[in-house]
């Protein structure tokens, strides 16, 4: 009998491991590098085990996107808990979560690949649009001002600039830009 028959099955841990490997492959090789064979080999999980959790590459990519969204939501919620001002709280947290990706290279690389995939994959764009709409509805009383919307669009622009590495927005300029955007959230 093989060791697989004696090992304790831990499906939640295996699933999480597969998602972490997929994120790592996306960061290092791009979304094209996230193949079922590559994830199976890099995670030391049989292809059958991988297919048990993710029957298709699209299912794996969708789960990876959902896992990143959950982490993003957790980051935003944590930032919101530390902010005593209700007006613009979500927008400030969104701005800080987005601008903070640059300081977390692993998250940043994963989001870079997912952002690129968002441009090409209609189902991921739809899921992102649903996330944005749900947050807009959830925070309609505190974050629906024109200024809050401007800040979120500016945060998306900063995210895109960081993803493309198209602008040198570092140090004092970055802090001043974020501080100015934060000021707008209280209006």
């Amino acid at each position: 009998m093989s060791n697989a028959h004696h090992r304790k099955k831990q499906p939640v841990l295996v699933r999480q491991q597969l998602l972490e490997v997929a994120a790592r492959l996306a960061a290092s090789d791009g979304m094209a590098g996230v193949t079922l064979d590559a994830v199976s080999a890099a995670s030391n999980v049989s292809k059958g085990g991988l297919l048990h959790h993710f029957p298709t590459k699209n299912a794996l990519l969708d789960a990876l996107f959902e896992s990143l969204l959950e982490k993003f939501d957790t980051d935003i919620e944590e930032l919101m808990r530390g902010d005593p001002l209700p007006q613009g709280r979500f927008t400030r947290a969104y701005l800080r979560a987005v601008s903070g990706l640059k300081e977390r290279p692993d998250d940043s690389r994963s989001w870079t690949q997912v952002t690129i995939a968002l441009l090409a994959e209609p189902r991921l764009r739809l899921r992102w649009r649903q996330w944005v709409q749900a947050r807009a509805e959830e925070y309609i009383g505190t974050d629906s001002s024109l200024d809050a919307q401007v800040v979120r669009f500016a945060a998306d622009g900063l995210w895109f600039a960081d993803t493309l590495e198209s602008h040198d927005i570092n140090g004092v300029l970055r802090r001043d830009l974020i501080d100015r955007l934060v000021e707008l959230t209280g209006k």
Side-chain angles (χ1 to χ4, degrees):
M1 232 181 245
S2 73
N3 281 343
H5 292 81
H6 297 290
R7 270 193 320 234
K8 183 178 178 182
K9 304 291 182 190
Q10 297 178 318
V12 173
L13 292 177
V14 170
R15 186 177 195 283
Q16 185 57 40
Q17 176 190 0
L18 292 167
L19 289 173
E20 288 170 6
V21 167
R24 200 168 47 247
L25 287 171
S28 64
D29 303 335
M31 293 306 266
V34 183
T35 65
L36 295 178
D37 288 333
V39 172
S40 173
S43 64
N44 209 15
V45 172
S46 70
K47 191 158 181 189
L50 171 64
L51 292 172
H52 171 76
H53 293 280
F54 307 106
T56 65
K57 179 179 176 177
N58 281 345
L60 175 63
L61 295 178
D62 290 347
L64 175 59
F65 184 68
E66 287 300 321
S67 125
L68 288 170
L69 261 185
E70 286 173 17
K71 184 171 182 347
F72 193 56
D73 267 330
T74 300
D75 290 347
I76 288 172
E77 288 168 12
E78 184 177 314
L79 289 163
M80 288 177 67
R81 275 192 298 278
D83 185 340
L85 302 173
Q87 187 64 34
R89 182 182 292 148
F90 168 76
T91 300
R92 284 187 298 280
Y94 181 82
L95 170 63
R96 289 181 173 126
V98 165
S99 63
L101 286 173
K102 190 171 180 141
E103 281 78 48
R104 296 188 316 268
D106 289 342
D107 289 345
S108 181
R109 282 190 296 273
S110 295
W111 270 110
T112 294
Q113 292 307 317
V114 168
T115 302
I116 292 166
L118 277 169
L119 299 173
E121 294 292 335
R123 71 186 189 292
L124 294 181
R125 280 197 310 271
L126 173 62
R127 180 60 186 101
W128 178 251
R129 190 171 27 250
Q130 290 167 338
W131 184 89
V132 168
Q133 184 62 37
R135 295 312 163 280
E137 290 170 6
E138 184 175 358
Y139 300 106
I140 199 163
T142 58
D143 290 82
S144 55
S145 72
L146 182 59
D147 284 336
Q149 291 178 34
V150 166
V151 170
R152 289 191 304 274
F153 280 122
D156 290 346
L158 182 60
W159 187 345
F160 199 61
D162 286 347
T163 297
L164 296 177
E165 299 177 346
S166 60
H167 295 74
D168 187 20
I169 308 171
N170 290 310
V172 174
L173 174 60
R174 188 176 188 90
R175 278 191 309 278
D176 289 348
L177 175 64
I178 292 168
D179 289 347
R180 178 67 181 114
L181 291 170
V182 166
E183 284 176 28
L184 288 174
T185 64
K187 296 183 177 183

